[in-house]
């Protein structure tokens, strides 16, 4: 799944569900429901002490990739270039402590998406020649990433948008449906969400609340 324009990619990032087995009690069921209820992009982020690895991680990735393909939703792998290449994922997302964007791009080739988490304008500048989109956070306080750092609000989103009118941007971190209009108004193309969907008592209703905004 490749997109020729930044505008098309930006649209696809509108409701970006990020999840791994440690975030949801039943990951496959959660992703199936979220796909049915309106997520526009999915990232398999398998992190934490009880996370799957090796063959089990790859098998889970293949299952989720198939579900995403059936739903017409891009499947992005977090921080595992070997896995992304092995299963022909649509792209990869890396943070600042992962393999540098330049090296990821060299390994991925030009056709797959590369997303990079950024926290400063300097990190944006470094990522820009290689990244298709940037993730900016934490916008609000998050329980899902222990080393997420200080809460930033949308200041960096506004700054990046001023300097890079066409760069696809997603906000992340503690985002609930009621936050979405302000984040989008401040320049984001979409929101990336873990717990507000994965930990919701009713995944379908939670996803629809985001999707209809
Ligand atoms: N990255 P939730 S915050 C994976 O700030 C991740 O870069 C962040 O989960 C960043 O929606 C975060 O449950 C966790 O807060 C987002």
């Amino acid at each position: 799944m490749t997109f020729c324009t930044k505008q098309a990619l930006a649209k696809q990032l509108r409701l970006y569900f990020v999840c791994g087995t440690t975030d949801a009690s039943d990951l496959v069921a959660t992703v199936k429901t979220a796909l049915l209820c309106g997520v526009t992009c999915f990232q398999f982020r398998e992190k934490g002490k009880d996370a799957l690895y090796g063959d089990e991680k790859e098998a889970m990735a293949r299952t989720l990739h198939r579900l995403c393909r059936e739903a017409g939703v891009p499947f992005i792998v977090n921080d595992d270039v070997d896995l992304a290449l092995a299963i022909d994922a649509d792209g990869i997302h890396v943070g600042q402590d992962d393999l540098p964007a330049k090296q990821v791009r060299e390994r991925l080739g030009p056709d797959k998406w590369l997303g990079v988490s950024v926290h400063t304008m300097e990190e944006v500048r470094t990522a820009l020649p290689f990244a298709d989109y940037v993730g900016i956070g934490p916008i609000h306080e998050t329980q899902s990433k222990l080393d997420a750092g200080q809460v930033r609000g949308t200041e960096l989103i506004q700054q990046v948008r001023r300097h890079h009118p066409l760069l696809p941007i997603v906000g992340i971190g503690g985002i609930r449906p009621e936050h979405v209009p302000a984040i989008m108004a401040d320049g984001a193309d979409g929101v990336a969400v873990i717990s507000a969907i994965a930990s919701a008592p009713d995944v379908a209703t939670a996803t629809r609340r985001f999707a209809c905004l």
Side-chain angles (χ1 to χ4, degrees):
M1 184 177 300
T2 54
F3 290 93
C4 349
T5 65
K6 282 189 161 59
Q7 284 92 338
L9 194 153
K11 223 170 149 203
Q12 199 72 47
L13 296 173
R14 174 68 188 75
L15 177 52
Y16 191 169
F17 182 38
V18 178
C19 204
T21 56
T22 61
D23 303 306
S25 53
D26 180 341
L27 179 60
V28 173
T30 299
V31 171
K32 265 187 196 165
T33 303
L35 289 169
L36 273 175
C37 295
V39 303
T40 58
C41 190
F42 176 70
Q43 181 188 126
F44 179 45
R45 180 175 179 274
E46 188 61 6
K47 297 257 185 193
K49 120 175 135 41
D50 297 322
L52 302 177
Y53 62 94
D55 290 348
E56 280 188 327
K57 181 179 178 186
E58 180 170 332
M60 176 59 78
R62 286 186 188 279
T63 299
L64 300 175
H65 188 194
R66 180 176 49 76
L67 293 175
C68 286
R69 211 185 297 118
E70 286 166 6
V73 166
F75 177 84
I76 310 299
V77 172
N78 183 288
D79 181 28
D80 189 336
V81 181
D82 291 335
L83 177 63
L85 290 173
I87 69 168
D88 195 25
D90 298 303
I92 186 144
H93 186 97
V94 289
Q96 293 296 319
D97 297 331
D98 305 332
L99 197 63
K102 180 174 191 294
Q103 289 177 42
V104 178
R105 177 56 79 199
E106 281 163 9
R107 292 204 55 204
L108 279 185
D111 292 334
K112 293 195 186 298
W113 293 8
L114 171 55
V116 180
S117 293
V118 294
H119 310 96
T120 62
M121 280 306 286
E122 187 54 37
E123 290 175 359
V124 175
R125 272 189 283 278
T126 305
L128 260 186
F130 315 105
D132 295 300
Y133 73 89
V134 293
I136 295 180
I139 307 295
H140 296 285
E141 201 170 315
T142 178
Q143 307 297 324
S144 306
K145 183 173 162 68
L146 297 177
D147 60 351
Q150 67 180 76
V151 169
R152 294 161 185 282
T154 59
E155 202 177 312
L156 185 60
I157 292 181
Q158 296 177 50
Q159 208 179 346
V160 174
R161 178 54 72 225
R162 276 197 302 275
H163 287 83
H164 306 285
L166 293 180
L167 176 66
I169 300 172
V170 285
I172 188 164
I175 298 175
R176 313 277 148 201
E178 59 270 27
H179 301 137
V180 175
I183 296 169
M184 304 290 284
D186 284 344
D189 297 292
V191 291
V193 173
I194 300 179
S195 56
I197 291 177
S199 305
D202 178 345
V203 171
T205 302
T207 309
R208 284 198 201 98
R209 279 196 69 200
F210 279 104
C212 73
L213 286 165

